[in-house]
Amino acid sequence: MKTLYLSTSKQDMRIAAAIVRTGGLVAFPTETVYGLGGNALDPEASKKIYAAKGRPSDNPLIVHISDLSRIEELAARFPDNARKLAEAVWPGPMTLVLPKKDIVPDATTGGLRTVAIRMPADPAALELISLSGCPIAAPSANLSGHPSPTRWEHVRDDLDGRADAVIMGSPCVGGIESTVIDMTEELPQILRPGLITPERVTEILGVPCGYDPAILGRPDPALVPKAPGMKYRHYAPRAEMRLFSGERSRVSAVIKEEAERCRSLGKKTEVLMYEDSREAAERLFEDLRRADSEGADVILAMALPEDESVAFSVMNRMLKSAGYNIKQV
Ligand code: AMP
Ligand code: MG
C-alpha cells in the first residue's frame, strides 16, 4: 500500500476522516504520542491495526473520542468519579477503563469486557475524530516493541506502506503514553503510569488512588498486570541500554568514564541525561530512536530519582527499554 502524507489543512483532514470512515488506518498526532487510528466500532479496522503494528491481539486498543457525550454509546456505566476525572482532565493524557457496551467489538478490546476511553488534546486529533463521526481506536503508531513515536517522521520510519495515511502534525509535547486508570472498582487504580499522577487523581476525587501492584518493581510472573500491554517488552532500542542510578554528580562521572571505555573499544556510544522528569518524558523516545538511527551500539543513561510520580512514570519506560539493566553507583 502507498501511504498518503497529509497536512492538517481542512481539505487534508477531510481526506483523513473519509479514510477512517471507510475502514482505513490513519496515523495522527496526540499530545502524548502519535496514534494509529481506525473506526473503533468496526472489527475489521481494529484487526488491520493489530496487523499493521504486529501487535499481540490480546493487547486492547484505546478508544478516542472528541465529545464527552459519546461515552454513553461505548460504556455500560459511567460512574460519578469517572465523570469528575473526565471533566477535570479531558482533553488530556488520561485513559479511563470502564465496562463496555456490546457495540464495542471484541476485536477492539482484546476480548475484554471493559473498554479504555480517552479524549486527546491535540487539535488535529479532535478534528479527525469529529470529522470522521466515529470513535477512533488507536494504539501508539509504532511497530510493536519499538519506542513510541513522538514525531510524524518516526511514524514514517515504522509504518510507511502499512497505514493508509499519516497526518504530519506537531511533535508531541507530553512524550509518554497516557495514564490508564481502572474505574470499574470502588476506588480508582492506575494500570499504566503517565503524566496524570495518583496525587492529581486524589486531588480531583478526594479518594486514595494507588497503582496496580503488578507495575511496581520488576515484572513478577506471579503478578499479572491488569493492563495487558504492561506485560510486554516495550520501547526497546536496538542498542544495548544500561542505566546508572545514584547521586547526580557521581552518576555523571561514572557514565563519562564508561562512555570513554566503550568508545575506546570501538563501540558507538550514546549518553542520555535529563535535567528533570518532564524533560525526560518529552525527549526519551525521540532520543532512543535517534540513537538507533545513528547506529549506536550502547546507550548509557542516568536513571531518574523516583522521588515523584512523573519520574516513576518515565522510569517505568526507561527500565523496560534497558531490559532492567540498572546499576547503583
Ligand atoms: P497503547 O495504545 O499502545 O498506548 O496501549 C494501550 C494500553 O492500554 C495498553 O497497555 C493496554 O493493555 C491498555 N488497555 C487498553 N484497553 C484496556 C482495558 N480494557 N483494560 C485494561 N487495560 C487496557
Ligand atoms: Mg504502545
Side-chain angles (χ1 to χ4, degrees):
M1 133 195 335
K2 180 150 170 55
T3 301
L4 268 179
Y5 288 87
L6 300 171
S7 73
T8 53
S9 71
K10 193 84 200 174
Q11 194 186 354
D12 277 11
M13 293 301 288
R14 286 209 188 95
I15 296 172
I19 293 173
V20 171
R21 224 180 298 119
T22 52
L25 303 188
V26 175
F28 62 96
T30 84
E31 81 281 26
T32 57
V33 303
Y34 270 70
L36 176 65
N39 180 353
L41 304 182
D42 174 0
E44 296 311 314
S46 290
K47 285 180 198 156
K48 280 191 205 167
I49 292 175
Y50 286 99
K53 279 179 58 82
R55 182 175 174 105
S57 62
D58 70 342
N59 187 4
L61 308 177
I62 292 173
V63 177
H64 294 74
I65 58 174
S66 58
D67 180 342
L68 205 56
S69 68
R70 293 302 289 258
I71 287 256
E72 260 100 274
E73 181 189 341
L74 305 167
R77 267 188 308 116
F78 190 31
D80 283 346
N81 272 353
R83 180 181 294 278
K84 266 195 214 155
L85 284 180
E87 282 171 355
V89 176
W90 283 349
M94 174 189 76
T95 297
L96 299 178
V97 173
L98 297 165
K100 85 172 184 78
K101 278 195 172 161
D102 289 343
I103 190 175
V104 185
D106 283 346
T108 300
T109 64
L112 295 180
R113 301 183 58 80
T114 51
V115 56
I117 304 175
R118 170 166 118 83
M119 192 192 294
D122 190 291
L126 291 170
E127 193 181 358
L128 177 68
I129 301 163
S130 75
L131 284 177
S132 59
C134 56
I136 295 187
S140 48
N142 52 305
L143 287 174
S144 203
H146 286 194
S148 296
T150 56
R151 295 176 171 267
W152 71 264
E153 294 91 338
H154 301 160
V155 181
R156 181 186 56 194
D157 292 342
D158 274 20
L159 297 179
D160 188 54
R162 292 171 165 263
D164 296 286
V166 174
I167 296 173
M168 299 179 293
S170 320
C172 305
V173 287
I176 58 170
E177 305 86 344
S178 59
T179 305
V180 176
I181 311 179
D182 181 11
M183 299 303 295
T184 64
E185 305 283 340
E186 169 96 17
L187 290 175
Q189 190 183 48
I190 294 187
L191 307 186
R192 176 174 71 182
L195 297 177
I196 300 298
T197 62
E199 294 79 23
R200 178 87 196 280
V201 172
T202 295
E203 186 186 303
I204 296 165
L205 298 181
V207 298
C209 173
Y211 291 106
D212 174 359
I215 64 169
L216 299 170
R218 289 179 177 230
D220 173 349
L223 289 174
V224 179
K226 291 189 196 118
M230 296 299 283
K231 68 175 182 273
Y232 291 107
R233 168 126 202 246
H234 267 80
Y235 321 118
R238 278 190 291 271
E240 178 200 358
M241 181 162 165
R242 293 159 55 194
L243 291 171
F244 297 84
S245 78
E247 188 268 317
R248 195 175 172 91
S249 61
R250 168 97 189 115
V251 171
S252 161
V254 169
I255 288 184
K256 220 169 145 193
E257 208 174 286
E258 186 58 17
E260 271 168 34
R261 198 185 67 84
C262 291
R263 288 181 186 127
S264 74
L265 295 171
K267 294 185 181 175
K268 189 160 168 51
T269 305
E270 191 75 39
V271 169
L272 304 183
M273 286 191 215
Y274 302 106
E275 283 303 314
D276 57 49
S277 56
R278 277 281 173 170
E279 189 207 20
E282 190 177 340
R283 288 192 22 213
L284 175 66
F285 291 145
E286 182 177 358
D287 287 344
L288 295 178
R289 282 181 175 264
R290 204 195 41 250
D292 272 349
S293 66
E294 289 173 358
D297 301 300
V298 183
I299 300 171
L300 306 175
M302 179 184 279
L304 300 171
E306 289 183 48
D307 51 3
E308 44 91 14
S309 298
V310 173
F312 170 73
S313 302
V314 179
M315 278 303 287
N316 172 269
R317 275 75 176 179
M318 278 189 147
L319 283 161
K320 288 185 186 189
S321 304
Y324 297 89
N325 182 345
I326 182 165
K327 189 170 166 189
Q328 177 77 37
V329 299

